[in-house]
Amino acid sequence: MADALFRRLVAAAGPTWPAYTRHDFVLALAKGDLPAAAFRRYLVQDYLFLLHFARAWGLAVYKSDTLAEMRRAQALVAATLDVEIGLHIAYCRGWGLSEAAMAAEPEALETVAYTRFVLDRGLAGDRLDLEVALAPCIVGYAEIAAERLADPATRHDGNPYSEWLDMYAGAEYQDLARSAAAALDDGFARRGGEGRFASLAASFVTATRLEADFWTMGLDAAR
Amino acid sequence: MADALFRRLVAAAGPTWPAYTRHDFVLALAKGDLPAAAFRRYLVQDYLFLLHFARAWGLAVYKSDTLAEMRRAQALVAATLDVEIGLHIAYCRGWGLSEAAMAAEPEALETVAYTRFVLDRGLAGDRLDLEVALAPCIVGYAEIAAERLADPATRHDGNPYSEWLDMYAGAEYQDLARSAAAALDDGFARRGGEGRFASLAASFVTATRLEADFWTMGLDAAR
Amino acid sequence: MADALFRRLVAAAGPTWPAYTRHDFVLALAKGDLPAAAFRRYLVQDYLFLLHFARAWGLAVYKSDTLAEMRRAQALVAATLDVEIGLHIAYCRGWGLSEAAMAAEPEALETVAYTRFVLDRGLAGDRLDLEVALAPCIVGYAEIAAERLADPATRHDGNPYSEWLDMYAGAEYQDLARSAAAALDDGFARRGGEGRFASLAASFVTATRLEADFWTMGLDAAR
Amino acid sequence: MADALFRRLVAAAGPTWPAYTRHDFVLALAKGDLPAAAFRRYLVQDYLFLLHFARAWGLAVYKSDTLAEMRRAQALVAATLDVEIGLHIAYCRGWGLSEAAMAAEPEALETVAYTRFVLDRGLAGDRLDLEVALAPCIVGYAEIAAERLADPATRHDGNPYSEWLDMYAGAEYQDLARSAAAALDDGFARRGGEGRFASLAASFVTATRLEADFWTMGLDAAR
């Protein structure tokens, strides 16, 4: 199984994991009754998040031991800067958000907290610490979308958020998430060991909590 | 004047600065009617903050160009680990908080956001970036305490928080803050330049905003 | 002029600059009488160097303040990992060196010294520090090749090293070097200032000295 | 045994380890016939080395996960900046070297290579990577001095270098080295695992090679 470490980390996170993956924001999005203001707040902050996501993978290039590791990190920087940011900007335009408006928005507390936590784990620790702190985001989004699509309560017709769900549930993103989970196993084999699990689990649970706060930030905008 | 850069940064921060230094938490503390629950929440998170504060000055040792810079950073690591944390623990005991209880508490979102923002500025930028991001804390606390002590509305007798105010308004802390402000001027002379001011000011205003959020976190605990 | 800072740094480096750009290794290469063993040693270590060069630009992605800065750094990581390393391997094959053999070779003292010096400048300082430490390599190679091509003493016919000279004197590499020099001016405008020049010049002269040592390492292999 | 990891690393380094610990520089020093010029060159570069050694332990403060780890790193920064550098300066004065003269000397290639290699390992990896790269220096010097003192060929009377040997063979330094070795075992238990050994061993052998080059640099000065 290529996601053994990820599964152990999820198990160790206990109720913090579903508090993130089945957060009210996510459930409302799947049912199509998430307030548009909440989603727009999320989209703007997700744009700001992406800039730091690219920085994190740039850092991973620096922290690579092998050419293969470097190439995987570089592919993710390229995907973020050359593809994802463009797609995100195009998608946000459909929600009435211009790139200039998003770039001018201050980062929310929740955006600062999650992005800088990840970067600090990556700088204080090694590349495995960095990838573990990124996993709730990368692998978690794939699980969130797949789980919601499989849920009979999810509304497909006329759901303004179905494009979002379909994107993360789609083959391309699910593949990316699978290879991120596989990279965790690879990293744990080469740089880990049982003694290290407790510290990785502590980092994973904090990152998961901060991701749940990111959803809450969206909901707060609609209150 | 040995705080020229600091004064310019404060001016550039506009209303964000007094929103932090004259935050409701601070005003209530000075009047003595801050709920104890708010103060306890603050104390616990301040303990967790101190650990990252020591890390930030350890990073500054690494980022030093001269022996004098190294020694100043090292003195602050030493002061934090050998003196301040001990004093903080002793003070918190008086508020019914044991070190073990504080160490077991999860970091609040606001604590993660401010501490990791500072560390990221320090790692992505140079030592001046690091010290500018720390200035709202180090120099700001001195200003907050001095301003409140000079305010006739501040209650001295029977104010459960007067020890806190006296400590930060005291000569020792005011000296430390003055030398931190002077170090900013020194850093700006050796590593700065006008072109760099906009970026330093942007970092300072974000750090100030995150410090204000830290006070809000305290107040939220009493709601 | 788009290379004002670079020209000032070269001037400040004094005789250290021509000791690098007109090193015996370079002059012998241009005349075609460099011993093949010296060139092979250089090629192997240059392969190992390229891995750290890619890491340096990955670090620059992390240290970027703007999307434009990130994209320039990312383009250099991509060029290195997706194009240059491949070209270098193909070129080295013509000199009887396989990738496996090069990857198995230990890094020379000179390779460790220059690459890690650059990375440390980049981590201890900011992105401008990083780019200044890289400039003797990126911009210097363009100057070296252009100067030798313009020299009547350079042998073109039957020079086994002419392909190397032509590559670095070619329009594509000269453009890359010009944009690297322009980026220094841009960085100095946004993050520099006169006070900072002395420290940048000190870093530049050390990096130049270490690059000259890199040529010497090649010559030593033929002794 | 509190130096299990260190012993395994030494074993994995094979002949590179004695090539460092029984280097001609060391043997000549023990016999008292090392040229003074070689020793002076070493002393000057060791002064420059100490500045980066302090930076490395400052970095370790930043990279600490626990208060205990932070305190150990901070104690080493303090010992270096507050005690060792002073002792070194006093000792060097006895050899006719002033602090100003040493500070004005450019770093040798060998000094740059070893110090920046260590810092890069610490930044690219985690604290265990940093401590493993420092171990040939910290623990190695204790072994070198102890081994030479136990060797009948070592000259004690009238050996101008006996003070140096006695210092590193003395109880205080041997204790420091023992606790550094114990910290490696502790780090390997908490952050290591067998999969990681190969990479730690590769780093250790490179660091050892660079330390041997440091001795060679001394000898070269007397040629």
Side-chain angles (χ1 to χ4, degrees):
Chain A
M1 200 164 70
D3 64 352
L5 179 59
F6 181 74
R7 285 298 136 209
R8 286 183 66 192
L9 292 167
V10 165
T16 302
W17 186 251
Y20 157 52
T21 58
R22 297 174 195 165
H23 191 279
D24 283 348
F25 183 100
V26 172
L27 302 181
L29 182 149
K31 275 183 264 169
D33 54 18
L34 181 72
F39 193 61
R40 279 206 193 88
R41 173 72 164 157
Y42 160 77
L43 288 178
V44 170
Q45 294 298 319
D46 202 39
Y47 169 82
L48 300 171
F49 166 85
L50 276 177
L51 305 178
H52 299 287
F53 187 76
R55 293 177 67 215
W57 287 107
L59 184 62
V61 171
Y62 164 68
K63 295 185 93 84
S64 297
D65 284 327
T66 65
L67 203 44
E69 279 190 330
M70 249 188 262
R71 286 196 161 120
R72 197 174 76 82
Q74 135 69 4
L76 283 157
V77 181
T80 307
L81 293 179
D82 299 343
V83 183
E84 275 194 65
I85 285 182
L87 290 176
H88 192 79
I89 290 169
Y91 181 67
C92 291
R93 212 175 291 130
W95 283 87
L97 299 160
S98 74
E99 182 180 10
M102 294 194 291
E105 195 77 15
E107 283 184 86
L109 182 65
E110 291 81 1
T111 311
V112 175
Y114 181 53
T115 55
R116 304 322 195 275
F117 174 79
V118 165
L119 291 166
D120 179 45
R121 287 317 303 151
L123 279 152
D126 62 11
R127 183 160 163 171
L128 180 58
D129 289 299
L130 178 63
E131 297 211 28
V132 162
L134 284 164
C137 168
I138 300 180
V139 192
Y141 267 48
E143 177 169 320
I144 286 169
E147 197 173 84
R148 290 281 67 73
L149 272 203
D151 180 1
T154 292
R155 193 174 116 208
H156 298 275
D157 295 339
N159 183 339
Y161 309 113
S162 60
E163 194 179 337
W164 189 94
L165 274 180
D166 291 344
M167 200 260 285
Y168 288 111
E172 198 176 346
Y173 191 80
Q174 294 285 324
D175 275 356
L176 187 148
R178 249 189 305 271
S179 77
L184 292 184
D185 281 359
D186 181 49
F188 196 62
R190 284 186 304 103
R191 299 195 50 90
E194 279 314 299
R196 198 169 165 180
F197 182 75
S199 144
L200 294 175
S203 175
F204 185 84
V205 77
T206 299
T208 300
R209 189 160 54 83
L210 296 171
E211 276 281 31
D213 289 335
F214 203 83
W215 296 136
T216 302
M217 167 201 70
L219 292 187
D220 285 349
R223 261 167 211 156
Chain B
M1 200 163 71
D3 64 353
L5 179 59
F6 181 74
R7 284 298 137 208
R8 286 183 66 191
L9 292 167
V10 164
T16 303
W17 185 251
Y20 156 53
T21 58
R22 297 174 196 166
H23 191 279
D24 284 349
F25 183 101
V26 172
L27 302 182
L29 181 148
K31 275 182 265 171
D33 53 19
L34 180 72
F39 193 62
R40 279 206 192 88
R41 172 72 164 159
Y42 160 77
L43 288 178
V44 169
Q45 294 298 319
D46 202 39
Y47 169 81
L48 299 171
F49 166 84
L50 277 176
L51 304 179
H52 298 286
F53 187 75
R55 292 176 67 214
W57 287 107
L59 185 61
V61 171
Y62 164 68
K63 294 184 94 82
S64 297
D65 284 328
T66 66
L67 204 43
E69 279 190 330
M70 250 188 261
R71 285 195 162 122
R72 198 175 75 83
Q74 135 70 4
L76 284 156
V77 181
T80 308
L81 294 180
D82 299 343
V83 183
E84 276 193 63
I85 285 182
L87 290 176
H88 192 78
I89 290 168
Y91 181 67
C92 291
R93 213 174 291 131
W95 284 88
L97 299 160
S98 73
E99 183 182 9
M102 294 194 291
E105 195 77 16
E107 282 184 88
L109 182 65
E110 291 80 1
T111 311
V112 175
Y114 180 53
T115 55
R116 304 321 195 275
F117 174 78
V118 165
L119 292 166
D120 180 45
R121 286 317 303 150
L123 279 153
D126 63 9
R127 184 160 162 171
L128 180 57
D129 290 298
L130 178 63
E131 297 211 29
V132 163
L134 284 163
C137 168
I138 300 180
V139 193
Y141 266 48
E143 178 169 319
I144 285 168
E147 197 174 81
R148 290 281 66 75
L149 271 204
D151 180 1
T154 293
R155 195 174 115 206
H156 298 275
D157 294 339
N159 182 339
Y161 309 113
S162 60
E163 194 179 337
W164 189 94
L165 274 179
D166 291 343
M167 200 260 285
Y168 288 110
E172 197 176 346
Y173 190 80
Q174 294 284 325
D175 276 355
L176 187 147
R178 249 190 305 272
S179 77
L184 293 183
D185 281 358
D186 181 49
F188 195 61
R190 285 186 303 105
R191 299 195 48 92
E194 280 314 299
R196 196 167 166 181
F197 182 75
S199 143
L200 294 174
S203 174
F204 185 85
V205 77
T206 299
T208 301
R209 190 159 53 84
L210 296 170
E211 277 281 31
D213 289 336
F214 204 83
W215 296 137
T216 303
M217 167 201 70
L219 292 187
D220 285 349
R223 262 168 211 157
Chain C
M1 200 165 70
D3 64 353
L5 179 59
F6 181 74
R7 285 299 136 207
R8 288 184 66 191
L9 293 167
V10 165
T16 302
W17 186 251
Y20 156 52
T21 57
R22 297 172 197 167
H23 191 280
D24 283 349
F25 182 100
V26 171
L27 301 181
L29 182 148
K31 276 182 264 172
D33 54 17
L34 180 72
F39 193 62
R40 279 206 192 88
R41 172 70 165 159
Y42 160 76
L43 287 178
V44 169
Q45 293 299 318
D46 202 40
Y47 169 81
L48 299 171
F49 166 84
L50 277 176
L51 305 178
H52 299 287
F53 187 75
R55 293 176 66 215
W57 287 108
L59 185 62
V61 172
Y62 165 68
K63 293 184 94 85
S64 297
D65 283 328
T66 66
L67 205 43
E69 280 190 329
M70 251 189 259
R71 285 194 161 123
R72 198 175 75 83
Q74 134 70 4
L76 284 156
V77 181
T80 309
L81 294 179
D82 299 344
V83 183
E84 276 195 63
I85 285 182
L87 289 176
H88 192 79
I89 290 168
Y91 181 68
C92 291
R93 213 175 290 130
W95 284 87
L97 299 161
S98 73
E99 183 180 10
M102 296 194 291
E105 194 78 14
E107 282 184 87
L109 183 65
E110 290 81 1
T111 310
V112 174
Y114 181 52
T115 55
R116 303 322 194 275
F117 174 78
V118 165
L119 292 167
D120 180 45
R121 286 318 303 151
L123 279 152
D126 62 10
R127 183 159 164 173
L128 181 58
D129 290 298
L130 179 63
E131 298 212 26
V132 163
L134 284 163
C137 168
I138 301 181
V139 193
Y141 267 48
E143 177 170 320
I144 286 169
E147 198 174 81
R148 291 281 66 74
L149 271 203
D151 180 0
T154 292
R155 193 174 116 207
H156 298 276
D157 294 340
N159 182 339
Y161 309 113
S162 61
E163 194 179 336
W164 188 94
L165 275 180
D166 291 344
M167 200 261 284
Y168 287 111
E172 198 177 346
Y173 190 80
Q174 294 284 325
D175 276 356
L176 186 148
R178 250 190 303 271
S179 77
L184 292 183
D185 282 359
D186 181 49
F188 195 62
R190 285 186 303 105
R191 299 195 49 91
E194 279 314 299
R196 197 168 165 181
F197 182 75
S199 143
L200 294 174
S203 175
F204 185 85
V205 77
T206 299
T208 301
R209 190 160 54 85
L210 296 171
E211 276 281 30
D213 288 335
F214 204 83
W215 296 136
T216 303
M217 166 202 70
L219 292 186
D220 285 349
R223 260 169 212 157
Chain D
M1 201 165 70
D3 64 353
L5 179 59
F6 181 75
R7 284 298 136 209
R8 286 184 66 191
L9 293 167
V10 165
T16 302
W17 185 251
Y20 157 52
T21 57
R22 296 172 197 168
H23 191 279
D24 283 348
F25 183 100
V26 172
L27 302 182
L29 182 149
K31 276 182 265 171
D33 54 17
L34 180 72
F39 193 62
R40 279 207 192 87
R41 172 72 165 157
Y42 160 77
L43 287 178
V44 170
Q45 294 298 318
D46 202 39
Y47 169 81
L48 299 171
F49 166 84
L50 277 176
L51 304 179
H52 299 286
F53 187 75
R55 292 176 67 214
W57 287 108
L59 185 61
V61 171
Y62 164 68
K63 293 184 94 83
S64 297
D65 284 327
T66 66
L67 204 43
E69 279 190 329
M70 250 188 262
R71 286 196 161 120
R72 198 174 76 82
Q74 135 69 4
L76 284 157
V77 181
T80 308
L81 293 179
D82 299 343
V83 183
E84 276 193 63
I85 285 182
L87 290 176
H88 192 79
I89 290 168
Y91 181 68
C92 291
R93 212 175 291 131
W95 284 87
L97 300 161
S98 74
E99 181 180 11
M102 294 195 290
E105 194 77 15
E107 282 183 88
L109 182 66
E110 291 80 1
T111 311
V112 175
Y114 180 53
T115 55
R116 304 321 195 275
F117 175 78
V118 165
L119 291 166
D120 180 45
R121 287 317 303 150
L123 279 152
D126 62 9
R127 184 161 164 171
L128 180 58
D129 289 299
L130 179 63
E131 298 211 27
V132 163
L134 284 163
C137 169
I138 302 180
V139 193
Y141 267 48
E143 177 169 319
I144 286 169
E147 197 174 82
R148 291 280 66 74
L149 271 204
D151 179 2
T154 292
R155 193 174 116 208
H156 298 275
D157 294 340
N159 183 339
Y161 309 113
S162 59
E163 195 180 336
W164 188 94
L165 274 180
D166 291 343
M167 200 261 284
Y168 288 111
E172 198 176 344
Y173 190 80
Q174 294 285 324
D175 275 356
L176 188 148
R178 250 190 304 271
S179 77
L184 293 183
D185 282 358
D186 181 49
F188 195 61
R190 283 186 305 104
R191 298 195 49 91
E194 279 315 298
R196 197 169 166 180
F197 182 75
S199 144
L200 294 174
S203 175
F204 185 85
V205 77
T206 299
T208 300
R209 189 159 55 83
L210 296 170
E211 277 281 29
D213 288 336
F214 204 82
W215 296 135
T216 303
M217 167 201 69
L219 292 186
D220 285 349
R223 261 167 212 158

